[in-house]
Every structure is written in C-alpha cells, then in structure tokens.
Amino acid sequence: MARELPRNDIPIFILAVLEAGDAHGYAIAREIDRRCDGGVVLRDGALYPALRALEDDGLVASEWQTADSGGPPRRVYRLTDEGKLEAARRAALWRGYAKNVERILGNLGGASHEPAL
Amino acid sequence: MNQRFDEDRAELEAHLAERVRAYVELGETPEQAALSAYEKFGDIRSELRKLLWRRRLRSPFATACVGFAVSATMMSLVSESPFQMALVFNLLGFPAGRWLRKQKKQVSFFLLGIFLSAILHSLLYLCGKISISIPIIVFFHLMIPYASWFGTWTKEWESSLLWKNWIEREEGMRYEIAKRLRY
C-alpha cells in the first residue's frame, strides 16, 4: 500500500522538480507522482502551503502567466539562485541520510545495498 | 489580503480543473473525475485556510505585535518603567519574534497571551495601578498551556466568518466543473 508523503518532505520534492525547469502547481504534483510511480501519495493540496513556505524563504519565485492554449492564467514557479544552492544542499543531506539508513538496516529483510557497519 | 486570497483560490481551482480533466482523459465520467480529484487534493478549505493564516502570521503587524509582546513582558518583570523600556527593547523583540515564528507556527498564539498581558500591564501601569496588574499577568501566563486550544478556537471563529459562503461555493464549483466537462 502506498504511503502518504509527509508534509515535511514535500519541499525537497518541489525543489527537485523545479531544478529541472519552471512549472505550475499541477505540473509539479504530476511530476512528483510520475517520479514516485505510485510509491508514495502526494495530497495535491499539501503542495501549496509548502510552495508558499519556499516562496517566503526566497527559494522559489512565482509569476502569473497566461497559457498559450487560451486556458486560465497559471502561477508558474521557478527556483531562485538561492533556491538552487539550497536544493543542492538539501539533496546532499537527504542522500547522506538515506545512505546512513541503508547502513543501519544492514541485511534486514535481505535487501541491503550498502555494507553493514 | 483579499486579492492574495482570490489568487490562491484561483490557483487551487485551476489545479483541480486540470486534475479532473486528466481523470476524464483516463476514462472516468465527469462526476467520478470530480470526486477523484477532490479525493486526491484533500480538504480544499483546510489548505486555503492554512495559506491564509500563513500570510497573516507573517504580516508586519503580527511581527510587530510579537516583538512588542516579548519585550514588554520581559521589561515589565525587571523594570520600573516597562512601557518605555518595551518600546526600546522592541527593536530586539522584532527579530526575535520573526525567528520564533519561523521555528513554530503555533508560537504566535502562545505569544498572543503574553501580548494581552503586556497591553493590560502597560495600561494599568500608566493609570498608576501597577499592583493590580500582577495577578493579571499571572493569569495570562497560566493561560499559556491552553494557547493551542485558544488558537484553534480563534481559527474556527475567524474561519466561520470568512468561510460563511465557502461551502456553497465549493459545492457550486464541483457542479460547475462537472457541468463544463459534460459536453
């Protein structure tokens, strides 16, 4: 059964998606879903408080853009320079954390990718 | 504030409309798609409320109140002229308040109790009834453990005013989305 993505983990997912290019809220949610491939569930609504928090911290900037197809205007988000640095910093922290968890788990469940300590 | 609120709502509605369209493309009926989109989205009212409160708590006015509250209360405990000292130390309380709010969202409600006690204390001090203010400060400080309840109550009260017509509007929106996609 897919696990719901904890709210505290959402900002790094957003930063990771925006690293690849500017996107509006729905596109970010869709991309997270695509990358997770059903492994975790993102409640779309939880995305927006996280986006506002990133915006308030100056890591993400947004502007309203009119769609070329004539659809309703959308708020498009992009990473700021500070956001790019922060994304790299958080990614390194996450990778380090994941590696340590992997080490601690060791051979538990018979699926170790890293040697046990 | 209203403009930002309307922008938030427009953004969330556009998101929902796209999600509904995606489910329809996957073969769901418009009604099923609307339900699925709402299920995937979560509680819209609650998310919009979070966005609204986030803005409020980060407003310069709230920051000033927090800074004043902290400094006024601290000074009232150590100084003979708390009101004047509070104004001076507000310069220190201002960044302290910002930092506190960044750490924990609920801290603003916690500080609201202190803010009220500081105001009352300052007023009573100016009226020359300083001794009366001490039990009031104690009372508000005792209220701190109930701050989270107070915060919830304030939110509910505030949102009941703000969201008076929202339930009907949300129902209307669901109907509109389904209707628009029907043809």
Side-chain angles (χ1 to χ4, degrees), chain B residues 158-176:
Chain B
E158 164 58 44
S159 44
S160 69
L161 296 176
L162 185 73
W163 296 97
K164 208 166 50 179
N165 300 318
W166 175 252
I167 296 171
E168 289 168 21
R169 286 165 75 175
E170 189 184 339
E171 290 300 322
M173 198 170 81
R174 283 184 199 220
Y175 174 73
E176 280 301 316

Side-chain angles (χ1 to χ4, degrees), chain A residues 7 24-26 29-30 33 41-49 52-53 56-57 64 72-75 77, chain B residues 4 7-8 10-12 14-15 18-19 21-22 37 39-42 46-47 50-51 54-55 58 102:
Chain A
R7 280 177 183 263
H24 52 82
Y26 175 69
R30 202 182 46 194
D33 285 344
V41 175
L42 168 72
R43 289 249 170 250
D44 289 2
L47 195 69
Y48 291 94
R52 294 295 172 278
D56 290 340
D57 293 339
W64 283 89
R74 288 164 167 170
R75 182 183 273 168
Y77 297 89
Chain B
R4 300 293 299 270
E7 282 181 9
D8 284 343
E11 190 179 13
L12 266 55
H15 183 125
E18 286 213 56
R19 183 63 79 187
R21 204 170 299 128
E39 199 179 324
K40 176 86 172 81
F41 198 92
S46 137
E47 296 303 338
K50 276 179 203 149
L51 295 181
R54 185 171 180 83
R55 292 237 163 79
R58 291 184 80 97
K102 210 170 174 181

Side-chain angles (χ1 to χ4, degrees), chain B residues 26-112:
Chain B
L26 286 172
E28 292 193 13
T29 65
E31 288 81 4
Q32 278 174 337
L35 282 174
S36 304
Y38 274 89
E39 199 179 324
K40 176 86 172 81
F41 198 92
D43 183 7
I44 302 175
R45 264 173 287 167
S46 137
E47 296 303 338
L48 269 170
R49 201 180 296 164
K50 276 179 203 149
L51 295 181
L52 184 72
W53 274 94
R54 185 171 180 83
R55 292 237 163 79
R56 282 202 180 146
L57 296 180
R58 291 184 80 97
S59 73
F61 177 72
T63 308
C65 289
V66 168
F68 180 81
V70 172
S71 52
T73 308
M74 283 170 66
M75 287 306 102
S76 69
L77 296 173
V78 296
S79 170
E80 285 297 314
S81 54
F83 189 72
Q84 289 166 15
M85 290 296 284
L87 289 176
V88 175
F89 276 81
N90 195 18
L91 293 172
L92 295 175
F94 202 92
R98 280 196 79 86
W99 182 81
L100 279 170
R101 277 192 300 108
K102 210 170 174 181
Q103 302 305 310
K104 278 192 181 290
K105 291 172 194 169
Q106 290 299 325
V107 84
S108 296
F109 294 107
F110 162 83
L111 289 170
L112 190 60

